[in-house]
Amino acid sequence: MAEVDDGIWDWVHRYIWDLRLSDDPERRRMAEALIDFTSAAGQKEAAVVEAAYPELLAFVRGEQNAWAEVFVRHWRLQAYVHTPADPRALTVEALDLVQFAHGEAARDCPQRVCAIDDLNALYGQIDAVGYAEERLNLVSELLETTPTHFGCFMCLAVGKRDILVDLGRPEEAIECWRASLERSELLAATVAEADHYLEYWAWGLGEAHLRAGRPDEALAVLETCQAPKAYHRFTIDALSAEALLALGRRDAALARFKTALEVEDDALDATQAARLIAAMRAAGLVEGAEARPLAERLLDVAALAGGRGRVREAFDAAREAFELAETSGAEALMRRALAAMAERLPELRAPVGADAAHAEAAARMGG
Amino acid sequence: MSEARYQEASVDLAGIVQMLGDSLYSRPEVAVRELIQNASDAILRRRIELGDEAFSPAIALSADPGAGTITVEDNGAGLTDAEIETHLARIGAGATRGLRAASGDLGLIGKFGLGFLTAYMIGRKVELFTTPAAAPGRGFHFVSDNGLRYIVTETAPGPVGARVVVHLNDACRRFAEPDRLEDVVAGYCRLMTTPIRVQGGPPINLEPPWRAAEPGEPELRRRRRGFAFAERLEPTFEPLCVIAVDAPAAQGLLWLHDASTYGGADNRWLQVYVRGMMVARNKRELLPAWAGFVSGAVESAELSPTTSREDVKADAAFEACRAAVQEALIAGLRAVAEREPETWRTILRRHNQALLGAAIADPRLFEALRGAVTAPTTEGDLTLPEIARRSPDGLVLAPGDPGAVDVLVARALGRPAIYAERYGAAAMARAFAEAEGLEVVEIGSDAGRRALFRPERPSSPEAEARLRALFSAEDLTVAFARFEPEELSCVALIDQEQALKSFYESDEAERRIGAGVLQLARSLTEKIAPEAPTRLVLNLAAPLIAQLADAATPPPRAAAAAAALRAHARLATGGGAVGAEGHRGAIGALNAALGALLTEGEAHG
């Protein structure tokens, strides 16, 4: 087995090692702080990250270490990407970081790729479908130039897979994922890394199988997924419920559906929630007295998502709220849902069917 | 075809001994510990199996540097010849295991039957002289040089018990130095209840405070005992105060370091004992991550040592122990804050930064500390209530690398700005602000600037037009606000979004950045309405600005005054705000404006 030279981390390890060997106790402390900071960011512990970030940033700037600044600023963003956090506030920082990473001082910094991928992830949190084409171009471009033994090669591969699913191209997503697994020298060399990617990122693969019409394979993949946070658990439960429904296991689907909705609103991916509820509604498992409170909840979720700049999620939740409200004959709710859809339309990057959906809903209201 | 035959696997005892030394036990001195453990268990066996409560248990160790031996002697149950064969010469079948199985967990330390075997890690020959309590008229001598072959002979009986003599190998002769032996014994075994003597000296045992505590004893005596214990155990720091741990899951003592530590420095140190035997030298994970200024020792019968007994398993008992330690530490700190004000003041002086982190980590500590800890500010270290008193419009956070104008404003405001880059300061300030319903103004951030420079329109369209005419420049956008201090007539702020728009839509970006990134970035920047990247914010509260706004006819030197203010604002901000001609150009503009003021003044006499 070839020894892996993971260039993206080599310089970081050397830097931290140098700090640890310093005679200056403050630099030794910064070494430990960097390790704890990175670990907390990987575990999405934003409060811990923010507590350490100002000091670490000031330290690396004081040392005029541009590579370390890229590293620290990237990992701060990592505490928020792929979480329910508000992406807008961070997008300006991500753009600024990309600019900095392309500057003379940070020339050749390996983490430049990571900074770009942060930007990609944040745009996905604003409007996954709307920005999908641009994101696909960006990630494809990066995959061509990123060494296959870099850990972030797999991060990019995950990103490309999930963007293809957003674009409604699940078979292509699965093929892309398989090809990336084969190409990745890191996974070939390190079983632990392979497990990490397969367990922590597999839910997207599960969704790809589901959208490709293979719910049994989707379930098999979803069962291997780790779910350290509530929003991970929601995603896995929601996709599993859809898969069970597609397999005709209605009781199990309903049970999983109820489990999925037990999470707090701020842990819901509103688009996934809307999709799940639509599937359950189409199967006749949401009707009558249940529809109205669900519609109310979806409108609350839409407002929450919209307030956080997750505009596509907000639109999708409002759209399904409209459908549910119509099912229960709640006209006032239908009007609220229609207004919520209209509010988000101009904020979307590209309609991708949202304008047509709004127009149709408005017509049904008017009729 | 040959028949299948049962075979017996063989054991390479030398290989096992080497494995014990290389892989299971981290240090050869654990063999000494194991022998003491055997002695302790033998004493318990004498009590339990033989019901003999009348004897005074004792363990004695001696070292003979000349002979290169160490001797471990006890007055426990000893071993009969049959027991020697069963328990000593049959690897893995220690007496303790059978006794534990028959009688339950009665304080026996040993479990795995490996203890005696460890003697071969350090010894080239091991002898045992024993007179069993079950047959005090007989004595036995066991000798082996590798544990695999041995000789047992009957001898004249001696005192009931056992005496193990280890003839040390060359690599371990250092254990035959009495001082070294005493250090090893004390390190592992000082909390055991059976008296242990080394070289005939007084017992090395130490009664820990949690066992010595008497109901109703004075607080001062309890504290003194705790201090004495901490001073004996602590390898690095003097204890500043002591905190008892008294829970079903664990008993022990914690102490704070009497030394200044910085920020997140991690000097946690915690020894773990099980039935008086030290099983972990420093299990810092039992202390909360923020407790970098705390040491201690805990004992728990619930913890499960690993096979080597050099660590404890991370199981439910471990978690319960950790929770008990954390609860005791938090309750103890609060008690010190309430009842020992002098000590508490010293703790705050020594460990303020670490306590900032602690307060963020635990809401109970936050309540106890929110009024006591200080944050570093532009006006010195201040408590948060004091900062709030001086900052009625919100706590001001200054980032580690503030823009020049932000520092100017912060100082001009006369409000203390908290150095946000210092450990824990920003997070604690935000937590305090949230608890008190206060705003947080982060200077240098867009939100901070909106809070500091509250947008406001001039009193009339005519006034606005006058001010725009006087202050506009090609690379500036004029804006209006009202802010403190009123002496500050205007500030130049770099609009980060405009700066990013300017960069990403430039030729430079096309040269440096990939097409995919540019496409994505521009999808955001194209939504930003183009304006000059530098915003000159005029302060409508400033007398100078008001004078210029209200004058129906501009005063004779108004243009020069405006030019001077504009140039000064550019220079105060620096960076891109100075304009295309750079700092020199901005200085030149200031000089030209001042020169015009002088010239016009002369012209008007």
Side-chain angles (χ1 to χ4, degrees):
Chain A
M1 186 180 290
E3 186 169 322
V4 175
D5 168 26
D6 192 350
I8 201 165
W9 279 99
D10 273 357
W11 75 268
V12 178
H13 294 319
R14 281 196 301 274
Y15 177 56
I16 291 177
W17 192 246
D18 286 346
L19 290 175
R20 275 181 156 168
L21 293 179
S22 171
D23 292 333
D24 181 349
E26 184 50 22
R27 298 188 87 233
R28 292 198 299 272
R29 189 176 73 80
M30 285 293 107
E32 303 311 315
L34 269 172
I35 295 168
D36 292 343
F37 168 80
T38 313
S39 173
Q43 291 168 32
K44 313 299 182 184
E45 298 290 342
V48 176
V49 166
E50 290 300 330
Y53 177 65
E55 192 182 19
L56 279 170
L57 185 63
F59 174 73
V60 297
R61 282 180 170 171
E63 297 219 314
Q64 297 184 311
N65 189 330
W67 283 28
E69 179 172 340
V70 172
F71 178 85
V72 167
R73 290 174 68 182
H74 155 60
W75 276 98
R76 185 224 178 187
L77 290 172
Q78 277 293 299
Y80 297 99
V81 299
H82 305 299
T83 76
D86 183 343
R88 292 168 308 179
L90 302 163
T91 309
V92 172
E93 162 61 10
L95 282 170
D96 192 73
L97 176 57
V98 168
Q99 178 184 4
F100 179 79
H102 284 81
E104 216 29 61
R107 176 194 273 274
D108 295 331
C109 175
Q111 269 71 15
R112 176 190 297 180
V113 175
C114 310
I116 296 171
D117 198 33
D118 289 337
L119 192 67
N120 164 48
L122 288 170
Y123 275 77
Q125 285 166 223
I126 295 172
D127 183 355
V129 172
Y131 282 111
E133 290 290 353
E134 282 122 332
R135 292 170 60 219
L136 184 63
N137 291 340
L138 182 154
V139 170
S140 299
E141 185 180 87
L142 287 177
L143 277 168
E144 288 305 313
T145 54
T146 302
T148 55
H149 65 274
F150 273 25
C152 55
F153 177 83
M154 284 312 303
C155 293
L156 296 168
V158 168
K160 183 170 182 179
R161 179 197 69 196
D162 294 347
I163 294 168
L164 286 167
V165 173
D166 288 337
L167 283 168
R169 293 149 63 178
E171 293 291 0
E172 208 176 324
I174 294 167
E175 182 49 40
C176 161
W177 178 242
R178 282 201 188 118
S180 300
L181 287 177
E182 283 174 15
R183 282 183 66 200
S184 169
E185 291 178 40
L186 186 70
L187 295 195
T190 312
V191 173
E193 288 285 344
D195 285 348
H196 166 79
Y197 283 104
L198 293 176
E199 289 172 4
Y200 279 85
W201 296 101
W203 65 263
L205 181 63
E207 183 168 16
H209 281 299
L210 183 63
R211 304 296 168 226
R214 290 191 290 274
D216 48 348
E217 289 190 47
L219 264 184
V221 168
L222 290 166
E223 278 167 13
T224 67
C225 291
Q226 298 287 332
K229 297 283 188 185
Y231 48 87
H232 296 125
R233 285 196 297 279
F234 168 75
T235 295
I236 293 166
D237 285 336
L239 293 172
S240 299
E242 277 198 69
L244 287 164
L245 191 65
L247 286 168
R249 293 165 58 183
R250 292 168 65 89
D251 289 346
L254 191 59
R256 206 68 187 262
F257 168 65
K258 288 180 178 169
T259 301
L261 293 186
E262 282 173 2
V263 298
E264 299 290 331
D265 284 356
D266 63 2
L268 286 179
D269 177 317
T271 295
Q272 280 182 339
R275 190 175 283 147
L276 171 63
I277 293 171
M280 301 298 282
R281 178 172 50 79
L285 289 171
V286 174
E287 54 186 2
E290 294 169 312
R292 183 168 182 154
L294 258 183
E296 297 261 17
R297 185 175 179 190
L298 273 178
L299 281 177
D300 289 342
V301 169
L304 184 64
R308 287 180 173 180
R310 305 173 80 96
V311 296
R312 179 68 58 172
E313 287 184 45
F315 180 88
D316 290 342
R319 178 183 180 178
E320 180 56 28
F322 179 89
E323 301 291 341
L324 282 169
E326 191 178 41
T327 302
S328 63
E331 274 199 33
L333 264 183
M334 289 171 70
R335 271 192 288 277
R336 279 176 56 196
L338 193 65
M341 291 164 71
E343 185 184 359
R344 297 304 161 201
L345 263 182
E347 296 175 346
L348 297 174
R349 167 58 180 159
V352 194
D355 48 355
H358 175 260
E360 190 205 339
R364 277 148 64 187
M365 272 285 347
Chain B
M1 187 168 65
S2 59
E3 287 183 359
R5 292 176 296 158
Y6 280 110
Q7 307 272 15
E8 288 207 353
S10 59
V11 173
D12 179 354
L13 190 62
I16 288 177
V17 171
Q18 183 170 357
M19 184 184 68
L20 289 177
D22 293 348
S23 306
L24 185 58
Y25 295 108
S26 68
R27 308 161 188 242
E29 62 204 46
V30 298
V32 175
R33 184 197 70 190
E34 294 294 321
L35 291 172
I36 297 172
Q37 172 196 301
N38 285 352
S40 171
D41 290 343
I43 288 169
L44 269 176
R45 279 184 58 217
R46 184 172 174 178
R47 281 206 173 115
I48 296 167
E49 275 187 358
L50 303 164
D52 186 350
E53 296 280 355
F55 74 109
S56 296
I59 299 172
L61 287 96
S62 56
D64 186 341
T69 62
I70 57 172
T71 301
V72 182
E73 190 166 358
D74 67 77
N75 59 357
L79 292 166
T80 63
D81 54 347
E83 286 170 340
I84 288 173
E85 172 135 10
T86 305
H87 301 309
L88 212 59
R90 188 181 302 169
I91 310 303
T96 310
R97 178 184 278 182
L99 184 58
R100 186 190 297 274
S103 314
D105 185 358
L106 295 168
L108 294 162
I109 304 172
K111 190 172 180 182
F112 301 105
L114 294 174
F116 193 78
L117 207 57
T118 61
Y120 298 104
M121 280 167 54
I122 59 173
R124 55 182 172 76
K125 182 170 79 171
V126 178
E127 292 182 275
L128 166 72
F129 300 88
T130 181
T131 297
R138 302 177 72 185
F140 301 97
H141 175 221
F142 163 99
V143 60
S144 177
D145 58 4
N146 59 10
L148 192 57
R149 291 174 309 181
Y150 61 91
I151 300 169
V152 178
T153 50
E154 188 156 353
T155 64
V160 167
R163 178 163 56 90
V164 176
V165 180
V166 181
H167 299 259
L168 296 165
N169 59 36
D170 290 342
C172 295
R173 273 191 89 102
R174 63 187 184 279
F175 294 121
E177 293 160 27
D179 288 347
R180 177 66 192 259
L181 182 64
E182 183 163 345
D183 285 344
V184 170
V185 173
Y188 283 110
C189 308
R190 74 179 101 200
L191 297 196
M192 290 177 66
T193 52
T194 301
I196 302 173
R197 288 180 166 77
V198 181
Q199 299 295 104
I204 58 93
N205 307 74
L206 191 61
E207 187 174 31
W210 54 91
R211 283 192 229 142
E214 296 164 13
E217 70 173 338
E219 172 69 16
L220 195 57
R221 188 195 302 173
R222 184 194 63 79
R223 219 181 282 169
R224 277 191 189 141
R225 189 188 302 118
F227 269 89
F229 179 79
E231 281 162 6
R232 288 283 296 272
L233 258 66
E234 169 63 50
T236 310
F237 300 101
E238 294 289 324
L240 179 54
C241 73
V242 292
I243 294 170
V245 180
D246 185 13
Q251 301 80 46
L253 190 76
L254 306 174
W255 53 92
L256 274 59
H257 305 154
D258 188 5
S260 293
T261 54
Y262 181 72
D266 189 357
N267 291 311
R268 289 177 293 171
W269 187 85
L270 190 75
Q271 282 199 330
V272 179
Y273 291 82
V274 176
R275 298 187 192 89
M277 182 74 77
M278 195 259 292
V279 293
R281 285 177 188 279
N282 184 8
K283 201 64 181 171
R284 60 172 59 184
E285 298 89 330
L286 284 170
L287 286 163
W290 51 261
F293 51 98
V294 178
S295 293
V298 292
E299 185 173 37
S300 172
E302 307 298 325
L303 291 171
S304 302
T306 57
T307 304
S308 67
R309 277 189 295 281
E310 294 182 275
D311 202 345
V312 288
K313 292 180 185 173
D315 54 12
F318 181 89
E319 289 305 317
C321 183
R322 174 158 53 189
V325 168
Q326 174 160 305
E327 288 304 307
L329 183 56
I330 292 171
L333 285 172
R334 293 171 63 130
V336 171
E338 286 166 22
R339 297 180 216 146
E340 300 177 51
E342 280 296 325
T343 303
W344 184 240
R345 273 193 284 277
T346 306
I347 290 171
L348 289 173
R349 272 201 308 276
R350 298 273 193 271
H351 303 298
N352 184 81
Q353 289 206 346
L355 289 170
L356 276 175
I360 301 161
D362 191 287
R364 291 165 296 174
L365 278 178
F366 175 78
E367 284 306 316
L369 294 169
R370 61 193 271 180
V373 290
T374 60
T377 78
T378 52
E379 295 179 16
D381 292 345
L382 300 171
T383 65
L384 287 157
E386 179 60 23
I387 295 170
R389 190 187 67 77
R390 299 190 197 184
S391 312
D393 293 332
L395 304 185
V396 178
L397 289 180
D401 183 22
V405 70
D406 303 293
V407 173
L408 173 70
V409 170
R411 292 194 184 280
L413 281 173
R415 288 195 243 169
I418 299 167
Y419 290 120
E421 80 282 10
R422 303 284 179 86
Y423 177 80
M428 184 62 184
R430 290 197 178 99
F432 181 85
E434 186 177 342
E436 297 288 322
L438 299 171
E439 296 293 319
V440 172
V441 178
E442 190 166 347
I443 56 177
S445 71
D446 284 348
R449 286 175 175 173
R450 283 194 294 275
L452 283 175
F453 310 115
R454 286 181 294 279
E456 187 175 308
R457 300 302 291 268
S459 56
S460 68
E462 293 78 21
E464 180 171 340
R466 279 194 284 274
L467 290 172
R468 286 192 186 278
L470 283 169
F471 285 94
S472 289
E474 195 175 307
D475 62 340
L476 287 177
T477 301
V478 174
F480 305 97
R482 183 172 296 273
F483 53 90
E484 297 172 29
E486 62 178 34
E487 293 87 347
L488 196 54
S489 295
C490 58
V491 293
L493 302 177
I494 297 175
D495 186 319
Q496 191 179 20
E497 282 194 1
Q498 289 294 336
L500 286 171
K501 179 181 175 70
S502 175
F503 169 74
Y504 279 103
E505 294 175 4
S506 68
D507 293 341
E508 183 191 358
E510 294 217 357
R511 281 195 303 273
R512 290 187 183 219
I513 295 182
V517 185
L518 263 189
Q519 185 186 20
L520 199 59
R522 286 175 176 173
S523 67
L524 182 75
T525 61
E526 69 193 18
K527 291 185 184 178
I528 302 169
E531 286 183 353
T534 302
R535 187 173 297 187
L536 185 69
V537 183
L538 304 183
N539 186 6
L540 297 176
L544 273 177
I545 300 298
Q547 187 181 350
L548 291 170
D550 294 340
T553 304
R557 296 180 289 279
L565 287 172
R566 187 172 57 227
H568 175 263
R570 285 183 189 272
L571 286 166
T573 295
V578 297
E581 294 180 16
H583 281 82
R584 200 160 183 177
I587 292 170
L590 179 60
N591 285 343
L594 293 172
L597 283 169
L598 289 171
T599 305
E600 289 177 30
E602 285 170 6
H604 286 274

